[in-house]
Amino acid sequence: MSPSPQSNSNRDGKLVFPAHPTIPFIEGDGVGPEIMRSAQQVVNATVAKAYNGARSIEWLEVYAGKKAEELTGSPLPDDTLAAFKKYHVGLKGPLNTPVGEGARSLNVAMRRELDLFANLRPVKYYPPAPSPLLHPERVNAVLFRENTEDVYAGVEFEAGSSGAKSLLDYLKTTSPENFARIRFPDSSALGLKPISREGSERIVRTAIQYALENQRKSVTLLHKGNIMKFTEGGFMKWGYALAESEFSDQIYSMRQYKKICAEKGESVGNQDLQAAKAQGKLIIKDMIVDAAFERAIAHPEDMDVLVTTNLNGDYLSDALAALVGGLGIAPGANINFANGDAIFEAVHGTAPDIAGKDMANPCSLILSSVLMLRYIGWTEAGDLIERSLGQVIAGRNVTPDFACQMENATQCTTSQFTSLLIQRI
Ligand code: NAI
């Protein structure tokens, strides 16, 4: 039986979409409404053109953030989460999060509630977008950031609180050596960093599957295991172990290679790596994450598929975005690759400094919509948007964030950029 137009169905983690699916969206705070309008106009025009009316999207507005509070009294109503669960795929604008006090992040809450464990961040260059690199065309990385664990789990105790005191007392009695490492216990706020084997395995598995399906050359496990042996070090060890056991025929593990070299007393050369490449095997390697920041700038071509823990990924993804023009053009998605549920979103925040001025760059959300269209199998529409967007930027028609860094650029408002893109489509 084919699914009804109103219910995108999900069978064993495989999404099956009708020709006219319902897709819930959150407009978002700040620049959210401006870029959401732009992205939806572009998607609607493209789908109409690509499928000649045979396919279309039924957008369903659901609420979160300021608008939700005004309408329902809650910043994240249950109905919103229920809609994403029901329809499996959604689009989202940015949401405000107070810093240092007040409510916890709605983004983090949504990712946790829906168990969207993988944050997917492709980083690609569209010339002549502004870049600090000499050869930005060499950037073509895909970052998988674990989305549900790490210090982002939100297990924190305010300095001086009873929770902090109990935890300190517990450490003092059960683990005096750890207690002694806390420099100023009386005034310390405390946070926990849970990193599990299951959590590490599922994100590494996802990154490897993606790399194999997309004929990529390597997957690099990024971590800080030199300092945090059990959490970040665990992520690396569990990641290698999973790669070696589940994908043994398809991958070439640098960990195994280094072990063999050490046993033979040989230095680590690169002949075997070249052999692995010649056999078409996917290379699994690891790198300390701070070195990855340097590597991404000095040798961006070495950055292929990357997978890392939550906080590392948060920092690195924005740094990678800066290499190709900044937050305004970097797309993102939060996906549960086990059950197929996914929310596609602009990676930047609400940009309060430019909100309501028709100045925001809509490319981040438009390219997130491209990821969404490809995810639901509407590849022709996704390809048409990406190609046309590249052509508009190549024509040097760009929003102010790009125009102020480019020569001979024509500065466009958000609406003008959107119209030009739709004309091109
Ligand atoms: P931000 O990303 O909103 O802004 C940083 C800088 O980038 C600002 O100068 C802004 O004007 C610029 N910028 C961002 N998006 C742009 C666009 N589309 N076009 C042109 N310029 C753009 O980060 P900020 O200021 O740290 O955060 C503001 C709020 O957004 C905070 O409440 C934060 O928690 C929230 N936020 C929400 C996210 C989400 O919903 N996924 C992600 C990041 C931040």
Side-chain angles (χ1 to χ4, degrees):
M1 198 179 79
S2 64
S4 87
Q6 292 302 311
S7 62
N8 315 324
S9 78
N10 181 341
R11 296 190 200 121
D12 307 328
K14 293 249 180 299
L15 289 165
V16 183
F17 274 84
H20 305 280
T22 299
I23 299 212
F25 71 97
I26 293 171
E27 201 175 52
D29 301 323
V31 293
E34 298 158 65
I35 57 170
M36 183 58 76
R37 201 177 312 121
S38 162
Q40 289 179 328
Q41 285 171 357
V42 169
V43 169
N44 290 343
T46 311
V47 168
K49 165 97 182 163
Y51 306 112
N52 216 4
R55 289 179 182 172
S56 67
I57 289 176
E58 181 100 7
W59 297 103
L60 171 71
E61 181 164 13
V62 294
Y63 304 104
K66 193 163 162 254
K67 196 166 180 182
E69 270 203 283
E70 284 166 7
L71 290 171
T72 70
S74 160
L76 186 55
D78 290 344
D79 286 355
T80 298
L81 292 171
F84 285 120
K85 281 184 190 156
K86 178 173 179 189
Y87 295 108
H88 304 297
V89 165
L91 191 63
K92 175 185 158 296
L95 295 168
N96 267 327
T97 308
V99 178
E101 56 184 20
R104 292 205 172 274
S105 165
L106 297 175
N107 300 306
V108 174
M110 285 176 70
R111 289 168 198 167
R112 196 180 47 237
E113 287 298 316
L114 300 168
D115 201 20
L116 303 174
F117 65 83
N119 182 230
L120 169 66
R121 299 277 295 259
V123 191
K124 195 173 156 187
Y125 183 62
Y126 298 91
S131 167
L133 296 181
L134 208 54
H135 291 291
E137 72 284 356
R138 292 180 185 168
V139 181
N140 188 6
V142 178
L143 177 71
F144 285 83
R145 162 188 168 196
E146 203 291 323
N147 237 350
T148 61
E149 300 199 301
D150 204 345
V151 286
Y152 277 58
V155 191
E156 282 201 312
F157 302 92
E158 196 175 358
S161 65
S162 62
K165 280 186 191 141
S166 307
L167 192 50
L168 287 164
D169 285 347
Y170 176 77
L171 280 177
K172 202 173 186 174
T173 45
T174 59
S175 184
E177 67 285 5
N178 273 321
F179 180 78
R181 291 187 183 127
I182 301 174
R183 186 68 189 83
F184 300 109
D186 291 343
S187 65
S188 284
L190 300 176
L192 294 189
K193 180 179 172 74
I195 302 278
S196 68
R197 181 166 59 76
E198 292 89 331
S200 304
E201 284 181 351
R202 64 181 184 172
I203 188 77
V204 173
R205 182 183 294 115
T206 297
I208 294 176
Q209 280 166 344
Y210 173 93
L212 290 169
E213 280 163 20
N214 292 279
Q215 289 89 43
R216 306 293 293 225
K217 293 191 192 72
S218 66
V219 172
T220 308
L221 310 167
L222 301 174
H223 58 87
K224 197 69 189 158
N226 51 335
I227 307 297
M228 291 164 271
K229 310 276 182 198
F230 301 130
T231 51
E232 297 274 328
F235 176 83
M236 181 202 75
K237 277 195 262 177
W238 292 318
Y240 267 126
L242 174 115
E244 289 158 11
S245 64
E246 289 189 11
F247 299 93
S248 58
D249 295 345
Q250 294 152 290
I251 61 111
Y252 188 87
S253 161
M254 278 304 285
R255 178 173 79 161
Q256 283 177 335
Y257 174 52
K258 284 180 185 166
K259 219 185 277 171
I260 293 166
C261 290
E263 280 163 12
K264 288 187 188 162
E266 291 173 1
S267 61
V268 178
N270 69 0
Q271 293 97 325
D272 281 19
L273 272 183
Q274 277 161 8
K277 276 186 197 159
Q279 291 165 20
K281 288 202 173 179
L282 178 70
I283 295 165
I284 310 294
K285 52 187 177 172
D286 74 281
M287 196 184 286
I288 305 284
V289 70
D290 39 291
F293 278 83
E294 185 271 344
R295 199 81 196 156
I297 295 166
H299 295 282
E301 64 280 3
D302 287 355
M303 299 282 120
D304 195 359
V305 176
L306 311 168
V307 56
T308 192
T309 50
N310 207 337
L311 181 63
N312 293 336
D314 196 3
Y315 294 157
L316 186 60
S317 51
D318 281 13
L320 291 174
L323 304 181
V324 295
L327 295 173
I329 196 161
N334 299 297
I335 306 178
N336 180 325
F337 279 91
N339 67 17
D341 289 356
I343 297 183
F344 295 79
E345 66 172 337
V347 303
H348 56 77
T350 56
D353 48 339
I354 55 168
K357 297 181 181 164
D358 205 15
M359 282 172 72
N361 187 341
C363 289
S364 175
L365 194 60
I366 292 173
L367 288 170
S368 302
S369 312
V370 168
L371 295 179
M372 182 185 82
L373 289 169
R374 290 186 179 136
Y375 189 74
I376 67 172
W378 296 12
T379 319
E380 306 79 7
D383 291 351
L384 179 56
I385 296 179
E386 191 183 3
R387 207 168 44 244
S388 310
L389 184 140
Q391 288 165 355
V392 174
I393 294 175
R396 295 178 183 266
N397 294 294
V398 289
T399 44
D401 54 323
F402 275 22
C404 69
Q405 303 178 66
M406 285 166 64
E407 282 175 14
N408 306 321
T410 305
Q411 183 167 306
C412 305
T413 61
T414 313
S415 342
Q416 286 165 341
F417 182 89
T418 308
S419 301
L420 280 174
L421 178 52
I422 291 173
Q423 276 167 32
R424 175 67 66 170
I425 285 162

